[in-house]
């Protein structure tokens, strides 16, 4: 079997060493994650504007496919809050919620996302996700958490609501304030308070009562199930559905069906950009979780293979009645903490969810939507992190501006514009930072061969030699900056005879930068000033050797900055040159 084939099927690697111990640990983890996922999957389907069974369907085939193609041993794939919100926002643009067209659009969105991820993986383009900076991602997720929580208030209050921006959602809630259902509010507020308490208080309480850590952990993860059971029983026992409490209703008692995405050109055109945005956001969230968990066990994650695994998972969702999925943070952490050793834990979770879809769906008929909304609110508020504003403000005002703008645009204009602006801001921020690279004038540290910034260290300099250390690769964005900087410095230095560019931090020089270097060389030659290079890296030198620049250089190329200093600084004064 060829190494390339094995690389695309990681199951062939870990599957060869699968033993009884791994099986036991994976089964235990699967039980815990399944308990957690049943109410969570139903809730996220509600958030996406789809029937509750779509959440279960999106958690079965995708998990199985990721187990075959994914490289993370702990990542749990399925519906997540942010992707569910993005799905609702994108699909609502092309179809009305509750219609067959809405479901088909969700399937199409999953298929497009899966296809895009597969293409990125096959062509090894995972690096494209790096164009989203972490501060911008944090800002977008914070804003999304606020939007998601606000969107669920209508279910907790029992009123009509809608909108894709914070202003629209709040306006809708205010306009329907007179329709608040007190019984629904009681259920929703009680469930929310209980779930918040479960997250923080159940485990310490059980441990104090003598329960083992594993049992206490399972009980904590089962908190949402307890809320579902209690509120469902209350609605059924007291006939609360007849008193205006909105319930899930009938859920098909079946395994995921075989479905087909839409192929209409107009539909694909309308969903293509949202699918790309969902893919990028989902991949960034998934890979960050996978790498964090893998590092704890000194395991390796292949980002490009992760793209293939997530692509296959989304295609699986598209053909089995689901919607876009990715690796979830909370369920993956639970999977890891529960002792999952291989992706087989995910496969066992899928089997558990399939059993639930077959046997347990009739039991959720009287499940209040307010309880599902409470589950979502408690889950997403942990995503809200306003501390990122304080951190970026104190560290980098440019990063702060990007975070603040992303949060503001997401809240006021919607998630699609928010994530698109995040991508643009990330790229713009990178271009801005590299457009004005740090260029330090350096001098010799006395008694050493080292050169440091003249404004930070007590160094030896020479008025006839200008030594500049360029701390950035040179490309079209910053080429003119270096050109102008040298021009201004040469004009001010009447005694200047040599300019040395110390290139130890320059990893690349593109053609635009090459033309700028040629222009600098010609201007310095006309002024009788030599241009010299030092510490040029091998790949950069190889590229320069393919041009005529080195032949036309009005100076020399030195192996080290110290060699350049020794050769050029006060050549008529050996004592000074040796300082």
């Amino acid at each position: 079997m060829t190494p390339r084939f094995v690389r695309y099927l990681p199951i062939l690697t870990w599957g060869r060493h699968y033993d009884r111990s791994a099986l036991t640990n994976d089964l235990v983890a699967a039980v815990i994650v399944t308990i957690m996922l049943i109410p969570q999957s139903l809730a996220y389907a509600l958030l996406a504007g789809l029937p509750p069974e779509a959440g279960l369907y999106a958690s079965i085939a995708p998990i199985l496919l990721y187990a075959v193609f994914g490289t993370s041993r702990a990542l749990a794939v399925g519906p997540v809050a942010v992707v569910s919100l993005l799905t609702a926002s994108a699909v609502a643009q092309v179809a009305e919620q509750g219609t067959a067209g809405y479901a088909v659009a969700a399937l199409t969105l999953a298929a497009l996302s899966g296809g895009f991820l597969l293409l990125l993986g096959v062509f090894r383009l995972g690096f494209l996700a790096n164009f989203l900076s972490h501060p911008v991602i944090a800002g977008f997720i914070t804003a999304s958490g606020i939007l998601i929580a606000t969107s669920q208030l209508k279910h907790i209050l029992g009123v009509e609501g809608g909108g894709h921006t914070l202003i629209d959602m709040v306006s809708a809630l205010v306009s329907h304030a007179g329709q608040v259902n007190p019984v629904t509010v009681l259920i929703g507020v009680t469930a929310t308070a209980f779930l918040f308490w479960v997250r923080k208080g159940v485990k310490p309480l059980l441990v104090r009562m003598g329960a083992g850590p594993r049992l206490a952990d399972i009980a904590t993860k089962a908190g949402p199930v307890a809320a579902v059971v209690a509120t469902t029983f209350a609605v059924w026992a007291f006939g609360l559905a007849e008193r205006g409490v909105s319930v899930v209703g009938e859920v098909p008692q079946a395994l995921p069906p075989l479905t087909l995405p839409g192929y209409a050109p107009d539909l694909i055109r309308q969903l293509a950009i949202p699918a790309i945005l969902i893919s990028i956001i989902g991949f960034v969230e998934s890979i960050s979780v996978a790498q964090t968990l893998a590092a704890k066990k000194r395991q390796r994650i292949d980002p490009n293979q992760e793209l293939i695994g997530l692509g296959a998972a989304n295609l699986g969702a598209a053909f089995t009645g689901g919607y876009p999925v990715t690796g979830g943070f909370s369920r993956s952490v639970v999977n890891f903490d529960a002792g999952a050793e291989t992706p087989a834990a995910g496969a066992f979770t899928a089997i558990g969810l399939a059993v639930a879809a077959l046997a347990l769906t009739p039991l959720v008929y009287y499940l209040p939507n307010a309880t599902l909304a409470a589950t979502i609110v408690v889950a997403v508020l942990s995503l809200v992190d306003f501390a990122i504003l304080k951190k970026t403000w104190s560290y980098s005002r440019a990063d702060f501006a990007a975070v603040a703008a992303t949060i503001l645009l997401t809240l006021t204009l919607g998630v699609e514009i928010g994530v698109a602006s995040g991508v643009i801001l990330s790229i713009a921020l990178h271009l801005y930072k590299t457009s004005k690279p740090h260029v330090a004038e350096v001098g010799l540290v006395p008694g050493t061969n080292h050169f440091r910034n003249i404004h930070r260290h007590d160094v030896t300099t020479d008025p006839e030699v200008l030594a500049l250390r360029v701390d950035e690769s040179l490309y079209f964005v910053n080429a003119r900056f270096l050109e102008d900087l040298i021009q201004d410095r040469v004009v001010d230095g009447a005694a200047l005879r040599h300019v040395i560019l110390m290139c130890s931090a320059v990893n690349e020089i593109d053609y635009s930068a090459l033309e700028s270097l040629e222009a600098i060389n010609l201007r310095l030659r006309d002024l009788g000033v030599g241009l010299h290079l030092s510490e040029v890296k091998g790949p950069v030198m190889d590229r320069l050797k393919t041009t005529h620049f080195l032949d036309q250089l009005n100076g020399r190329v030195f192996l080290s900055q110290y060699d350049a200093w020794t050769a050029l600084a006060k050549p008529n004064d050996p004592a000074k040159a040796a300082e």
Side-chain angles (χ1 to χ4, degrees), residues 547-571:
T547 71
H548 298 291
F549 174 70
L550 296 178
D551 297 330
Q552 300 170 354
L553 184 64
N554 181 34
R556 296 165 56 187
V557 178
F558 295 92
L559 182 64
S560 71
Q561 180 65 20
Y562 186 74
D563 289 345
W565 173 265
T566 304
L568 303 174
K570 296 291 185 181

Side-chain angles (χ1 to χ4, degrees), residues 338-421:
E341 290 195 20
T342 73
F348 296 141
T349 299
I351 294 172
L353 292 171
V355 171
L358 276 174
L360 301 181
T361 49
L363 302 179
V364 300
Y365 183 94
Y366 289 103
L367 172 60
N369 286 327
T371 301
L372 293 179
T375 302
I376 294 173
V377 169
V378 173
V380 301
L381 285 183
S382 63
L383 303 176
V384 178
D385 178 24
F386 285 115
I388 191 67
L389 291 170
K390 181 180 179 181
K391 293 175 183 176
T392 52
W393 175 263
S394 60
Y395 186 76
S396 169
R397 299 300 168 85
D399 283 331
F400 169 81
V403 172
T406 301
I407 292 176
L408 184 63
L409 290 171
T410 302
L411 292 177
T412 57
L413 299 178
V415 290
E416 289 188 10
I417 294 179
V419 69
S421 65

Side-chain angles (χ1 to χ4, degrees), residues 74-210:
L75 191 69
V77 173
V80 300
V82 173
V83 171
S84 297
L85 177 66
L86 288 167
T87 297
S89 176
V91 176
Q93 308 286 333
V94 300
E96 184 178 350
Q97 185 174 333
T99 63
Y102 192 95
V104 171
L107 297 174
T108 306
L109 191 63
L112 291 173
S113 297
F116 180 68
L117 288 166
L118 275 178
L119 284 175
L120 290 181
V122 170
F123 291 102
R124 307 187 70 77
L125 299 176
F127 69 90
L128 291 177
N130 296 333
F131 285 107
L132 275 174
S133 70
H134 178 265
V136 167
I137 283 288
F140 171 72
I141 291 178
T142 292
S144 297
I146 295 171
L147 287 177
I148 292 169
T150 305
S151 72
Q152 297 309 297
L153 291 179
K154 64 183 180 182
H155 298 296
I156 293 177
L157 299 176
V159 301
E160 295 292 329
H164 297 290
T165 68
L166 184 62
I167 296 173
D168 292 342
M169 292 177 187
V170 173
S171 299
L173 291 174
V174 171
S175 64
H176 293 91
Q179 303 172 2
V180 170
N181 185 302
V183 181
T184 301
V185 172
L186 177 63
I187 293 173
V189 172
T190 302
T192 303
F194 172 75
L195 291 173
F196 271 120
W197 175 75
V198 164
R199 289 171 69 94
K200 301 292 184 181
V202 167
K203 188 172 182 177
L205 176 63
L206 291 177
V207 171
R208 286 197 302 269
M209 293 173 62

Side-chain angles (χ1 to χ4, degrees), residues 399-457:
D399 283 331
F400 169 81
V403 172
T406 301
I407 292 176
L408 184 63
L409 290 171
T410 302
L411 292 177
T412 57
L413 299 178
V415 290
E416 289 188 10
I417 294 179
V419 69
S421 65
V423 174
I424 294 172
L425 284 170
S426 295
I427 297 174
L429 189 60
H430 170 73
L431 293 177
Y432 171 75
K433 288 178 178 179
T434 57
S435 67
K436 297 180 179 180
H438 181 256
V439 179
E441 183 176 349
V442 297
L444 178 66
V445 178
T448 74
N449 294 348
H450 302 296
F451 290 79
R452 293 292 184 268
N453 193 323
I454 65 172
H455 299 298
R456 294 178 178 272
H457 301 273

